[in-house]
Amino acid sequence: MTLLDARKLVSKKVDELKSRVDKLSKKPSLVIIRVGDDFASGKYVANKIKKCDEVGIDSKIIHFDGDVKQEVVEETILNLNKDEDITGILLQLPIPKHLDEDYLTNLIEDEKDVDGFTIGNMGKLSLGLESNVACTPRGIITLLKEFNIEIEGQDVLIINRSNIVGKPLAQLFLKENATVTIAHSKTKNLKEKIVLSDIVVTAVGKANFLRADDFKNNTTIIDVSINFNELGKMCGDVAKEDYDVLVNEKQCNLTPVPNGVGQMTVIELIEQTIEIAEKRERI
Ligand code: NAP
């Protein structure tokens, strides 16, 4: 089958989003709050800012030192909530341990929560109501639809139960009428579940966790993980040397790492920011 390379889809989406921004009376504006100097976070934030520029929306980083006091971040979020000129607010995770991640995430107004992580947005998603939705799960559904991969009625296995990947993704798959199983580190007989699944989403965070032998023919494999191998190269959970066998012999669809889900996450973030601005202008 095929490698589900997201790059073409992303560049198509950039063009589409640019024209949606042109139709707005005011440019959307995204603020990213970053705390400390985590290397990976710095890279993710830079990618997000770059995409904002490409699409033509305003963006700004508020960067605090790693020892910033909770009250300072709190006050910043509350001020951004009130600021009419700000469309979306994102607190780049992880943040240092002395800060209360759940509390600060939930201080962001639901409407401006472009990551879809607040209790309000996650709750609405679970009830099947309209909400902002976590960007990685959103991107996975968009990617599957773009490649015309059937979701309705399919047996989907998600190997991850985190709040940012597994839980919201399960809700989105249910909405699309898939049959969903969530696996995690305490799951028994994982391999048996993998071979019974039509779509397997893996976000374990371990290089070479899955090999070609683990899958039946024609499986669609969505590899969310961002790992770095012993040579410092980015890779997912699925062993890279097995890509060829999976795609050409076992006729599987597979998202590569890089250029798969990660690309989708960023573009969905931008799209969600634009959606918030469009909704505001309709009100
Ligand atoms: P996380 O919270 O650590 O989740 C890892 C999940 O894997 C947990 O549910 C864990 O189970 C499960 N797990 C660990 N070992 C397992 C095993 N042996 N068998 C089955 N399940 C196992 O991490 P996360 O924040 O969700 O991120 C996961 C990965 O996705 C990371 O590599 C991250 O970098 C990547 N990611 C990528 C994007 C993107 O845009 N591409 C976005 C978000 C995250 P327990 O719950 O029992 O611990």
Side-chain angles (χ1 to χ4, degrees):
M1 300 267 256
T2 189
L3 266 189
L4 308 174
D5 188 317
R7 283 174 293 184
K8 257 197 200 150
L9 165 57
V10 168
S11 74
K12 189 176 96 179
K13 267 190 162 277
V14 166
D15 292 340
E16 179 200 311
L17 294 177
K18 269 187 195 163
S19 62
R20 279 168 63 180
V21 171
D22 287 343
K23 290 191 191 105
L24 289 165
S25 59
K26 196 167 149 197
K27 259 191 187 185
S29 168
L30 174 68
V31 175
I32 302 179
I33 303 170
R34 185 178 168 212
V35 185
D37 288 310
D38 179 73
F39 177 75
S41 289
K43 276 193 102 170
Y44 300 149
V45 169
N47 282 340
K48 289 169 186 173
I49 298 288
K50 191 166 156 236
K51 259 315 166 248
C52 286
D53 291 346
E54 271 179 51
V55 171
I57 73 175
D58 288 332
S59 61
K60 183 172 126 182
I61 305 174
I62 299 179
H63 192 172
F64 292 114
D65 288 339
D67 60 357
V68 66
K69 287 207 164 63
Q70 165 107 358
E71 303 78 70
V72 176
V73 184
E74 195 174 318
E75 200 188 327
T76 303
I77 293 173
L78 292 174
N79 286 334
L80 291 168
N81 280 344
K82 279 186 264 166
D83 188 338
E84 290 281 313
D85 290 331
I86 304 302
T87 315
I89 307 166
L90 182 164
L91 176 63
Q92 183 67 40
L93 303 176
I95 54 177
K97 294 274 173 275
H98 71 281
L99 300 172
D100 186 337
E101 187 174 299
D102 289 342
Y103 176 76
L104 290 171
T105 299
N106 275 296
L107 269 190
I108 300 173
E109 235 174 43
D110 287 348
E111 189 214 315
K112 293 188 177 185
D113 165 36
V114 273
D115 259 340
F117 288 167
T118 63
I119 293 169
N121 280 319
M122 293 279 275
K124 282 185 199 151
L125 178 67
S126 304
L127 295 172
L129 302 173
E130 201 189 313
S131 66
N132 292 344
V133 176
C135 300
T136 301
R138 254 182 78 128
I140 291 169
I141 300 294
T142 304
L143 189 84
L144 290 170
K145 287 186 174 172
E146 182 68 20
F147 280 94
N148 294 315
I149 293 165
E150 198 168 359
I151 304 176
E152 182 163 312
Q154 300 296 291
D155 289 322
V156 176
L157 174 68
I158 303 170
I159 317 175
N160 179 294
R161 59 170 160 182
S162 74
N163 292 342
I164 62 170
V165 181
K167 286 179 192 149
L169 182 59
Q171 297 300 337
L172 293 183
F173 272 121
L174 284 176
K175 213 168 164 182
E176 298 293 333
N177 299 318
T179 303
V180 185
T181 302
I182 299 187
H184 46 77
S185 65
K186 306 288 187 286
T187 297
K188 285 188 292 180
N189 307 324
L190 181 65
K191 300 234 158 166
E192 286 172 20
K193 293 176 172 58
I194 294 171
V195 284
L196 289 173
S197 305
D198 304 307
I199 299 175
V200 176
V201 179
T202 180
V204 170
K206 290 182 185 151
N208 300 326
F209 182 72
L210 295 170
R211 308 295 312 224
D213 285 349
D214 292 321
F215 301 95
K216 67 173 181 188
N217 288 1
N218 298 307
T219 309
T220 291
I221 306 159
I222 306 294
D223 193 345
V224 180
S225 288
I226 300 174
N227 310 310
F228 293 90
N229 67 15
E230 56 290 347
L231 301 170
K233 285 218 157 183
M234 193 191 280
C235 60
D237 290 343
V238 179
K240 230 170 210 175
E241 65 255 40
D242 291 1
Y243 278 15
D244 188 43
V245 175
L246 280 165
V247 173
N248 296 315
E249 287 178 30
K250 302 197 89 166
Q251 301 293 306
C252 291
N253 295 308
L254 166 70
T255 59
V257 181
N259 299 323
V261 175
Q263 294 256 340
M264 294 308 298
T265 299
V266 181
I267 200 72
E268 294 287 333
L269 170 77
I270 311 295
E271 180 160 25
Q272 189 142 258
T273 308
I274 294 167
E275 280 170 12
I276 296 168
E278 289 171 337
K279 213 187 291 169
R280 271 200 192 175
E281 293 203 358
R282 280 199 301 269
I283 289 167

